[in-house]
Amino acid sequence: MADARYDPQEIEPRWQEVWARERTWEVPNDPTAAGDSSYVLEMLPYPSGEPHIGHLKVYSVGDAIAHFHRRTGRRVLHPMGYDAFGLPAENHAIKTGRHPRESTDAAIVEFQRQFRRWGISIDWSREFGTHEPRVYRWTQWIFLELFKRGLAYQKEAAVNWDPVEETVLANEQVVDGRGERSGALVELRQLTQWFFAITRYADRLLADLDTIHWPEHVKTMQRNWIGRSQGAEVIFGCQSLGVDYPVFTTRPDTLFGATFFVMAPEHPDVLRLAAGTGNEGAVRDYVNRALAADTQERGDVLKPKTGVALGRTVTNPVNGEELPMYVADYVLMEYGTGAIMAVPAHDERDFAFAAAHGLEIRRVVEDPDGDGELPYTGDGPLTRCGPEFDGTPNREALPEIVAWLEREAKGRASVNYRLRDWLISRQRYWGTPIPIIHCPRCGAVPVPEDDLPVLLPDVADYKPRGRSPLAAAEDWVHVACPACGGPADRETDTMDTFVDSSWYFLRYCDAANDEAAWDQAAIDQWMPVDQYIGGVEHAILHLLYARFITKALADSGLLPAHVQEPFADLFTQGMILRDGEKMSKSRGNVVSPQTIVDRYGADTARAYILFIGPPDQDADWSDTGVEGVHRFLGRLWRMASELAAAAGGPDEPPPADHGGPDLELLRKAHWAIAKVTYDLDGRFSFNTAIAAVMELLGVASRLRDETSPGARRFATATAASLIFPFAPHLGAEAYHLLTGRRVWEEPWPVADPAMLERDTFELVCQINGKLRDRVEAPSSAGPDELEALCRAAPNIQARLDGQTLVKAIVVPGKLVNLVVR
RNA sequence: GCCCGGGUGGCGGAACGGCAUACGCGGCCGACUUAAAAUCGGCUGUCCGCAAGGGCAUGUGGGUUCGAGUCCCACCCCGGGCACCA
C-alpha cells in the first residue's frame, strides 16, 4: 500500500454508480413524511455546447447546501432541468439548417453526462427540458390563465426592435439602448404585441421584497427597476385649443415655481398644437430629428437641452398664469403623461433648459442654510406661493396642495412606475407557441385547453424576416376558429423564453403530472424554494418575472395561498475569472470543467472552486491553486487508506486515555466540526470550512507518530465526513474505508461542547493595548488571578518598572491590558 | 451624478471591537531517492539588531475607545448597478 496513490478516476465512477443504481437522491412527494423539507435549487442551465466553469461553481455551491441540509435531517428536493428554448440554438439552425431540437438535445445529453460526472446529487426522476411538449403545454396553459384574467393582452405600442435578431425585445433586455444578446442598437417600432401586465403587480413586487431573504443589492436593483414615484397628476389646460394636459410630478409643492411646460416629441398633440402658430415648421423639423435619433444618443444626460416653442400656452392651475409650451427631447413619452410642468429653480434639467432658452427661473423653496444657488432640489420653507403657503415647509405643504387640487378638480394624488408591462412576443421560431387563434369575426380566441399543447411545427427556414418563421407553416397557421368555426389563423409569435423559466421551479414539484401543471399538494409540500442559487446577472430579468408569475398564479387560486414568493432565500455567486478577466473564447482564457475533471477528478474541481474565496465574490482561477486542493484531498485519502490497512478494525473504541496528543487531536476534530457547521449554516463560508478540515488533517498528520490509531481514525473519519459536501466521492470513500458505513446516511456530526473547552488557555498580556507577552492561564481563573499572572509575565515585569499603573482591563478567557503612565 | 460592493503579505484570502496576516499558492532550505517526480518536514509581512528584543504595517487623513482591519466623520482608488423617470 505504500505506493498507493489517490486515484479519483477510479474512486469517483464507483460511487456515482452506487448513487445512480440506488437512486439515492430521489425524494418522493410524501406529505406524511416526518421532518422538515428543503427545496434547494440552482438556476436552470441554458443547454448550449457544454457546461462552463460557472456551471461548475453554481452546482458545487448548491450541492454542498443540499448535502448539508440532508445530513442535518431535512428531506431535500434538488432537481435539474434545462432552459431549452432560445436564440443560440435557433441561430445555429439558421447557419446549419440543423433543427434546433437536435443541437439542443445533444447539448442536454452532454450536460447530463457532466453533471453525473461531477457527482451532483440530483433527483433525476424530475428532470425536464422546457422545450418538451409535455412541459410547454403547461407554459401555454399558464398563458391562457393570464389571458382569462386580462393579464396577457395585446396592444399596439412603440416597442424595442432588435434589427439583428429580427425580433422585439422586452425593456429588460435592452441595455444602454442595445439588444442584450446581439449588441445591436434597437429601433423603436410601432407594433401590436403581446404583453403581460406586470405593472399591475408593481406595488406587491415592491412591498414583498421585505418578506424575502435576498442580498440587499439585488433587492435594491429590483426596487430601482420598478421605480415607484409618489406624487400628483396636475391638469394644465390649453385654452386656445380647449384641451387639458395632465402632467405627473413628484413635486407638487413647487407648482408655483412652474414657468414653462414641455412635451415629448412623440406626444401625439405636438403638431396639432403648433399648427397655425408660425412655429409649425420649426416644430416639425425638431420632432423629425428627435424621432430619427437613436435611443442611446437621445438618452445622453450630458447632451445640451434642446427644444422649440410650440407657440401656445397652458394655464397653471394654482395661480392662473399662462406658461409657454415647448417640445423637447428630454421629456420622455413613455413615462408619466409625456408632458411636464417645468420648475427650473428646483429641477436640474428644467434649469438647464431655462438657462439655454432664456426662460424665467423663479425660486419657490428657500434654502434654510444655503448660499442661494440654483437649482435647489432640497427642502425648505415655501416662498412666492401666496399667503396660504408662504413660510410653510415644502414637505408639509405638499399634501395640502394636492388636497387643494383634488377639491378644485385640477389634479389628484398619483403614483408612477418606471416598470413597463412585460413584452413577451418574439418573432422567432424556437420558443413556446402562443396559444391564440385570430378570427376575423371573434378576435383573439384562446386555444381550448383540451387542444393543448399547440405543437411547434417543423419549418424549412428558421430565418426571421420581420415576421415569425412560423408564419410560413401555412397548414399549421390556418385553422377553424374554436368559437365560430370560421376560417382563422394561429398566432405565429412565440413566447419570450423568460416565460418558461418563470415557472419551471413549480413543475419540479410534480414533474410527472400529465393531468395538470401540478398538484397543489405537491406545491404545498415544497414551495417556496428554500435556497435559490444563481448569477447576479439575473437580478432583474428572471428574478422579477418569476416573482410576478408566482403572484399571478397565486391570485388565480392555482397555488397555495402561502406561496406568494418563489424564492425565500437567494444566494448570488460571483464569476470565475482568469487573469482578472471574464473567460471567453475570444480571449482564449477559458478553463473547461471537463479538462479539470479529467486531470484532477470532480472532487478536486468542486472543492477548489469553493476554496478559492467567498463564493459571492468574483474569483480568479489559479492552476497552482487547484494543485494545492488536490494535494490536500490526496493526503486525506492516503491517511484513510493507511489507517484502514493498519491493525484495528472499524469498531475499535475511541481511545480511553484522553490525554496528551490524543486529546489534542480529538479536540481539533471537535473544533473542526463546530467550525464547518457554523460556516455552512446559512453563511456560505465554504472557503473557511474547507480550511478548517485542512487544519484538522494538518494536526492529525503532525501528531501521526504520537497518537493512538483510534484517535487518528476518529479524526480522519471526521475529516471525511466534513469534506463530503464539497468532495462527495472522496468523503464517501474515506469514510467507508474507515468505518464501513456510508457517510451520506450518517447524521451530520455534532461537536461535543466539553471537547471545545480547555483547562488552560493562552492569556494575552498587553501594556497600553500592545501585545507584550503570553502566558498559560487556567480557564477557571478570576479577574484578579489573571491580572496577577499578567503582571508576573517576564516581558511585562520588565516594562512595569518605574511606571504608574492607571488601570487594568481584564477580559476573562482572553487577555489583560495594563494601562500605565 | 445617485445607490450598492470592495481596498489586508509576492498572490487568492482569514480575522464575535481583544494575539493582524488562519488556510492555500508561490519562494527558500532540508529529508527520502543513484537521480527526478511524488511525498514529508522547516522557514517565509517589513525595517533595525549578533541576539534577546524592538520599531513600522490592513487605501489616505482625522475621531471614539484601555484597545480599531473591524465603529464614526471626511477623502482617494477599483468593481458593479441605475441614470433626462419629472
Side-chain angles (χ1 to χ4, degrees), chain A residues 635-649:
Chain A
R635 271 197 295 277
L636 176 53
W637 177 84
R638 210 170 313 112
M639 194 165 294
S641 56
E642 281 167 16
L643 280 166

Side-chain angles (χ1 to χ4, degrees), chain A residues 463-541:
Chain A
K463 187 148 176 48
R465 296 170 196 287
R467 59 169 199 173
S468 168
L470 293 185
E474 294 196 6
D475 293 350
W476 177 84
V477 169
H478 301 308
V479 288
C481 168
C484 70
D489 287 347
R490 287 189 189 280
E491 170 65 56
T492 58
D493 285 356
T494 53
M495 285 186 235
D496 182 1
T497 54
F498 280 105
V499 179
D500 309 330
S501 56
S502 292
W503 75 281
Y504 77 103
F505 45 88
L506 299 170
R507 180 66 180 175
Y508 285 141
C509 297
D510 201 9
N513 197 333
D514 285 331
E515 307 300 314
W518 53 73
D519 184 86
Q520 285 221 30
I523 300 288
D524 200 43
Q525 189 179 355
W526 298 112
M527 286 296 291
V529 173
D530 294 272
Q531 183 65 62
Y532 200 39
I533 304 134
V536 72
E537 65 274 18
H538 293 105
I540 293 170
L541 290 155

Side-chain angles (χ1 to χ4, degrees), chain A residues 94 161 165-166 427-428 461-469:
Chain A
I94 291 166
W161 175 263
E165 303 284 15
E166 295 195 57
Q427 290 72 51
R428 297 294 302 232
D461 181 5
Y462 305 104
K463 187 148 176 48
R465 296 170 196 287
R467 59 169 199 173
S468 168

Side-chain angles (χ1 to χ4, degrees), chain A residues 657-667 703 706-708 711 758:
Chain A
D657 169 29
H658 277 193
D662 272 5
L663 183 59
E664 189 184 343
L665 181 54
L666 295 180
R667 280 195 164 131
L703 300 178
E706 302 151 62
T707 43
S708 67
R758 318 209 50 159

Side-chain angles (χ1 to χ4, degrees), chain A residues 272-329:
Chain A
R272 185 157 72 96
L273 283 159
T277 63
N279 298 40
E280 193 174 354
V283 169
R284 190 180 303 278
D285 285 352
Y286 183 80
V287 168
N288 286 343
R289 251 180 297 129
L291 297 188
D294 64 60
T295 48
Q296 198 179 33
E297 189 187 325
R298 162 104 183 254
D300 187 354
V301 190
L302 303 171
K303 192 169 78 78
K305 297 278 175 289
T306 61
V308 295
L310 289 175
R312 290 191 191 264
T313 61
V314 284
T315 313
N316 186 340
V318 295
N319 56 13
E321 286 183 25
E322 288 299 310
L323 308 179
M325 299 178 83
Y326 286 81
V327 55
D329 68 0

Side-chain angles (χ1 to χ4, degrees), chain A residues 576-597:
Chain A
I576 301 286
L577 310 174
R578 185 100 191 260
D579 309 320
E581 292 188 301
K582 267 187 181 178
M583 289 189 192
S584 71
K585 278 180 195 147
S586 54
R587 287 195 183 87
N589 63 348
V590 173
V591 176
S592 109
Q594 172 91 51
T595 311
I596 302 302
V597 172

